[in-house]
């Protein structure tokens, strides 16, 4: 079996980590295991190591030649650095990243703090959806007076969203 | 505020007396934040990094907590000054390697430091003495809330705060405590503890974080995962584990006192002897010996008022601090001499270890008291 890091030497160190019932395996050769600090229990975390190996492969599965439309980052860049290019990369490479995040973290969905603007945007979006629905209903019912008022409200909301 | 002011005063966390301060040197909480749709610092071109810095830095400097702050671009700081900040845990080793386009802003009390364009656009850190993770989080959370009204942070309703490295996504929070565990090291139980802690999704690291060696019996414990758990849940979980480790450390010390007291006196006596008379000493040796003296203070072999000078030495004898205070660049040999000299001078006023005091104190439960 070849080493997962250098892919040329035979693996001699086999690591298995079970965290919260999820199993992760990594095979390493002697030189790579030393380089990655595997033999030093104080400095070693499998998640960090996986970033360099599994991550790039996971991302490859998701998108083969894709580049992030916002920052131009590609999967090859991720393979090199283990870091992403910008926040939009999380959407571009979502498929591969999801598998990676699942292996790395306790859950798959954020449950902690959120910025107030995100909260406001969510509320505004919900209101917009309701207004649009009502507008369609009013138009279908040929209730033009209501429709006009709804249209004005939507316009107001659009300018709020833009600001 | 100038760098000389930073240098002249030790961080509040060092002098403070937070809960369990005998064993928990400090508690730190950092939050990683990024601007939406702007390239992360590692991917951004120099011009982009600079423009992000120009956008973020004034917003950080105008925070009420940052009145009279120390704010400097990394390229303005000498290599030695950056290293001083690393030794005080005010910036990371990664940040110290940055130049144009990166900056650090910290408050006067050195309880809050914000790195701009480290791995993420913002790395905000709060540091407190003793076990005070909740309080540390409270401060950094407040800073985050103040900044989010002025800067649009990268946030996804499902994944939370988006970070350059997927290991930080979600809360973007890393909470950690620096523990002094000579009892567990001397009784050779430390590896058991490290293994147990790693199994429950927490990381144990050396003095300066990832991949660094454990020196001076100091260990950093932090959360490993950031997604799928609320900030206060992570902090509660971590605090509970740390409280258990504190108990284990006290137990180990009790066992040493009762069953291996001769070894203990010997260790303390030797540490005192070497530190008082040596003329050359490397950082690692010094930290390891100072750790034993610190244990001696905890156990009553040295008077309580000797605690601060020892804690200060932990910082002052590190390479960059030595060179900065001596106003010159020194090679390794010169540093070792100067280090030994500083330690000898500070220990001049130090009484010899009083073993009778130590045995007595262990009997009347002074250790148990600290746990309450």
């Amino acid at each position: 079996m070849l080493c997962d890091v250098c892919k040329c030497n035979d693996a001699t160190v086999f690591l298995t980590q079970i965290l919260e019932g999820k199993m992760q395996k990594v095979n390493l050769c002697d030189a790579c295991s030393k380089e990655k600090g595997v033999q030093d229990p104080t400095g070693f975390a499998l998640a960090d190591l996986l970033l360099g190996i599994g991550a790039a492969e996971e991302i490859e599965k998701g998108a083969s030649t894709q580049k992030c439309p916002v920052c131009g980052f590609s999967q090859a860049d991720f393979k090199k650095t283990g870091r992403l290019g910008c926040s939009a990369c999380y959407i571009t490479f979502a498929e591969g990243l999801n598998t990676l995040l699942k292996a790395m973290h306790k859950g798959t969905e954020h449950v902690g703090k959120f910025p107030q603007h995100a909260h406001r945007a969510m509320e505004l979006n919900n209101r917009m959806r309701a207004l649009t629905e009502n507008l369609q209903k009013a138009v279908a019912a040929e209730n033009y007076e209501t429709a006009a008022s709804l249209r004005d409200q939507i316009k107001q909301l659009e300018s709020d969203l833009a600001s | 505020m100038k760098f000389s002011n930073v240098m002249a005063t030790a961080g509040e966390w060092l002098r403070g007396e937070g809960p369990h301060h005998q064993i928990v040197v400090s508690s730190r909480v950092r939050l990683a934040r990024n601007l939406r749709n702007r390239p992360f610092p590692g991917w951004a071109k120099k011009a982009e990094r600079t423009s992000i810095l120009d956008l973020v830095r004034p917003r950080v400097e105008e925070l009420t907590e940052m009145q009279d702050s120390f704010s400097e671009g990394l390229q303005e700081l000498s290599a030695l000054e950056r290293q001083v900040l690393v030794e005080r845990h005010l910036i990371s080793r990664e940040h110290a390697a940055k130049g144009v386009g990166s900056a650090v802003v910290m408050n006067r009390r050195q309880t809050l430091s914000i790195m701009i364009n480290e791995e993420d656009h913002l790395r905000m850190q709060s540091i407190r003495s003793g076990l005070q993770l909740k309080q540390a989080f409270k401060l950094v959370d407040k800073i985050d809330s103040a900044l989010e009204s002025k800067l649009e942070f990268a946030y996804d309703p499902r994944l939370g705060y988006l970070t350059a490295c997927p290991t930080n996504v979600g809360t973007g929070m890393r909470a950690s405590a620096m523990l002094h565990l000579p009892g567990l090291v001397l009784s050779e139980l430390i590896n058991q503890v490290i293994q147990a802690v790693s199994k429950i999704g927490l990381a144990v690291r050396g003095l300066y974080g990832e991949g660094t060696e454990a020196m001076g019996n100091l260990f950093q414990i932090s959360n490993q995962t950031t997604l799928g758990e609320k900030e206060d849940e992570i902090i509660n979980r971590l605090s509970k584990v740390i409280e258990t480790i504190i108990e284990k450390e006290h137990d180990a010390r009790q066992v040493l006192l009762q069953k291996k007291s001769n070894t203990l006196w010997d260790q303390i006596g030797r540490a005192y002897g070497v530190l008082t008379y040596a003329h050359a000493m490397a950082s690692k040796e010094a930290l390891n010996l100072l750790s034993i003296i610190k244990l001696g203070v905890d156990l009553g072999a040295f008077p309580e008022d000797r605690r601060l000078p020892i804690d200060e030495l932990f910082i002052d004898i590190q390479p960059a601090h030595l060179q900065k205070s001596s106003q010159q660049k020194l090679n390794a040999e010169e540093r070792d001499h100067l280090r030994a000299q500083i330690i000898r001078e500070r220990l001049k006023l130090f009484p010899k270890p009083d073993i009778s005091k130590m045995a007595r104190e262990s009997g009347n439960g002074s250790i148990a008291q600290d746990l309450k």
Side-chain angles (χ1 to χ4, degrees):
Chain A
M1 193 182 294
L2 288 178
C3 167
D4 287 333
V5 176
C6 63
K7 303 208 188 330
C8 50
N9 299 330
D10 273 339
T12 53
V13 178
F14 306 95
L15 287 166
T16 307
Q17 177 178 279
I18 300 169
L19 189 59
E20 317 274 336
K22 282 178 291 191
M23 191 159 74
Q24 287 294 339
K25 283 188 176 177
V26 175
N27 310 311
L28 301 170
C29 67
D30 204 35
C32 291
S33 76
K34 275 190 192 125
E35 190 191 321
K36 297 277 174 191
V38 173
Q39 277 135 353
D40 169 20
T42 56
F44 173 63
L46 201 57
D48 299 343
L49 189 64
L50 277 169
L51 256 189
I53 313 161
E57 282 164 16
E58 289 299 344
I59 283 203
E60 265 170 62
K61 279 184 214 156
S64 53
T65 53
Q66 216 169 342
K67 279 197 169 193
C68 175
V70 174
C71 71
F73 191 85
S74 74
Q75 46 160 300
D77 297 312
F78 188 71
K79 205 167 188 170
K80 250 186 281 171
T81 61
R83 305 287 181 270
L84 291 161
C86 74
S87 50
C89 290
Y90 278 92
I91 300 164
T92 314
F93 305 108
E95 217 176 304
L97 272 174
N98 285 343
T99 325
L100 179 69
L101 291 171
K102 216 168 147 184
M104 207 178 259
H105 289 286
K106 204 164 182 165
T108 51
E109 282 188 25
H110 178 59
V111 289
K113 185 180 183 179
F114 49 82
Q116 285 305 307
H117 76 80
H119 188 63
R120 239 188 354 258
M122 203 165 66
E123 277 183 347
L124 292 176
N125 278 330
N126 286 345
R127 251 182 75 205
M128 178 69 95
R129 203 176 307 130
L131 286 173
T132 318
E133 273 171 27
N134 289 342
L135 177 64
Q136 280 164 353
K137 277 182 204 157
V139 172
E142 298 188 4
N143 192 347
Y144 297 115
E145 214 170 301
T146 315
S149 140
L150 284 167
R151 187 203 53 206
D152 292 345
Q153 288 180 48
I154 288 173
K155 271 193 181 155
Q156 179 61 44
L157 197 55
E158 273 171 349
S159 68
D160 285 355
L161 271 172
S163 69
Chain B
M1 189 163 99
K2 284 182 187 155
F3 191 84
S4 53
N5 294 90
V6 177
M7 192 61 205
T9 47
E12 194 182 70
W13 61 272
L14 188 70
R15 284 169 290 132
E17 299 221 322
H20 301 300
H21 69 275
Q22 289 194 359
I23 290 176
V24 186
V25 178
S26 63
S27 296
R28 285 187 288 157
V29 176
R30 74 118 166 90
L31 295 177
R33 296 290 184 258
N34 288 284
L35 303 182
R36 203 169 83 89
N37 288 351
R38 302 291 296 264
F40 295 139
W43 183 243
K45 305 261 185 315
K46 195 167 159 186
E48 286 169 314
R49 266 206 320 274
T50 310
S51 104
I52 290 166
L53 177 64
D54 292 343
L55 176 70
V56 172
R57 191 167 164 185
R59 302 285 87 82
V60 171
E61 286 172 346
E62 71 194 18
L63 291 166
T64 30
E65 281 76 10
M66 288 300 188
Q67 298 301 310
D68 193 25
S69 62
F70 172 78
S71 171
E72 201 65 271
L74 265 287
Q75 79 283 0
E76 303 293 334
L77 293 168
S78 71
L80 204 56
E81 288 168 334
R82 286 182 233 172
Q83 194 53 37
V84 163
L85 296 178
V86 172
E87 289 174 2
R88 292 192 182 191
H89 300 281
L90 290 166
I91 65 171
S92 63
R93 287 186 304 165
E94 292 75 16
H95 204 51
K98 298 278 158 90
V100 176
S102 294
V104 58
V105 185
M106 67 181 96
N107 66 352
R108 178 171 268 277
R109 297 187 303 159
Q110 300 176 33
T111 53
L112 181 70
S113 100
I114 299 183
M115 291 180 267
I116 305 171
N117 284 337
E118 198 238 30
E119 181 180 297
D120 295 296
H121 295 141
L122 279 157
R123 286 271 176 115
M124 309 175 265
Q125 176 197 260
S126 160
I127 182 163
R128 299 290 296 255
S129 140
L131 184 56
Q132 299 199 69
L133 289 167
K134 270 178 211 156
Q135 290 80 351
F137 173 67
K138 218 169 141 186
L139 175 58
V140 83
D141 180 46
K142 187 172 143 197
I143 297 302
D144 174 52
S145 298
L147 284 174
E148 74 176 26
S149 60
K150 307 177 201 166
L151 299 165
E152 194 185 355
F153 289 151
Y155 175 85
D156 176 88
R158 191 173 64 82
L159 291 177
Y161 292 98
L162 303 173
T163 51
C165 183
T167 49
N168 296 319
V169 85
T171 58
M173 183 184 82
R174 186 83 66 217
S176 71
M178 179 81 75
L179 306 185
H180 180 234
L181 305 172
L184 289 168
V185 173
L186 286 173
S187 42
E188 295 174 2
L189 292 168
I190 193 70
N191 282 334
Q192 268 180 351
V193 171
I194 291 175
Q195 273 167 18
V197 169
S198 316
K199 269 188 198 139
I200 49 175
L202 300 175
V204 185
R205 297 183 162 130
L207 190 51
Y208 292 104
E210 227 162 293
T212 60
E213 201 181 353
M215 285 190 285
N217 301 320
L218 291 166
F219 298 87
Q220 260 185 66
I221 299 196
S222 63
N223 63 305
Q224 182 92 270
T225 61
T226 51
L227 185 62
E229 223 181 340
K230 283 186 184 162
E231 288 85 352
D232 54 351
E233 288 169 355
I234 295 175
I235 285 176
N236 283 338
R237 196 158 62 91
L238 187 63
S239 301
K240 276 199 188 118
V241 171
I242 290 167
E243 277 164 19
T244 311
I245 297 174
I246 294 172
E247 248 172 81
K248 297 263 178 245
E249 170 68 18
H250 279 299
D251 291 350
R253 292 180 183 187
Q254 279 296 353
V255 171
L256 285 171
L257 276 171
Q258 281 158 19
K259 299 201 172 140
K260 289 193 174 173
S261 53
N262 281 338
T263 319
L264 207 54
W265 315 153
D266 182 58
Q267 294 272 350
I268 294 173
R270 279 168 187 271
Y272 180 80
V274 174
L275 288 170
T276 318
Y277 292 105
H279 279 253
M281 191 165 297
S283 294
K284 189 178 170 181
E285 185 188 9
L287 286 174
N288 288 339
L289 294 174
L290 284 170
S291 157
I292 299 297
I293 299 291
K294 189 173 160 70
L295 174 66
V297 179
D298 290 350
L299 296 177
F302 302 102
E304 182 62 30
D305 64 3
R306 299 290 118 186
R307 179 179 300 280
L308 184 61
I310 290 295
D311 286 347
E312 280 174 346
L313 272 174
F314 268 88
I315 303 285
D316 292 343
I317 57 152
Q318 299 203 34
H321 274 82
L322 272 185
Q323 296 177 69
K324 194 69 197 167
S325 58
S326 77
Q327 310 278 348
Q328 54 180 319
K329 212 162 159 47
L330 305 166
N331 65 31
E333 204 186 325
E334 291 165 331
R335 283 204 300 273
D336 290 353
H337 281 294
L338 180 61
R339 182 177 294 116
Q341 188 192 329
I342 288 176
I343 295 173
R344 283 201 315 277
E345 276 166 15
R346 302 254 186 114
L347 289 189
K348 253 187 202 157
L349 298 166
F350 230 78
K352 287 179 187 157
D354 184 352
I355 282 159
S356 63
K357 188 99 186 293
M358 185 152 90
R360 200 169 63 242
E361 294 234 342
S362 70
N364 65 18
S366 70
I367 293 170
Q369 260 169 16
D370 180 63
L371 264 178
K372 276 170 202 156

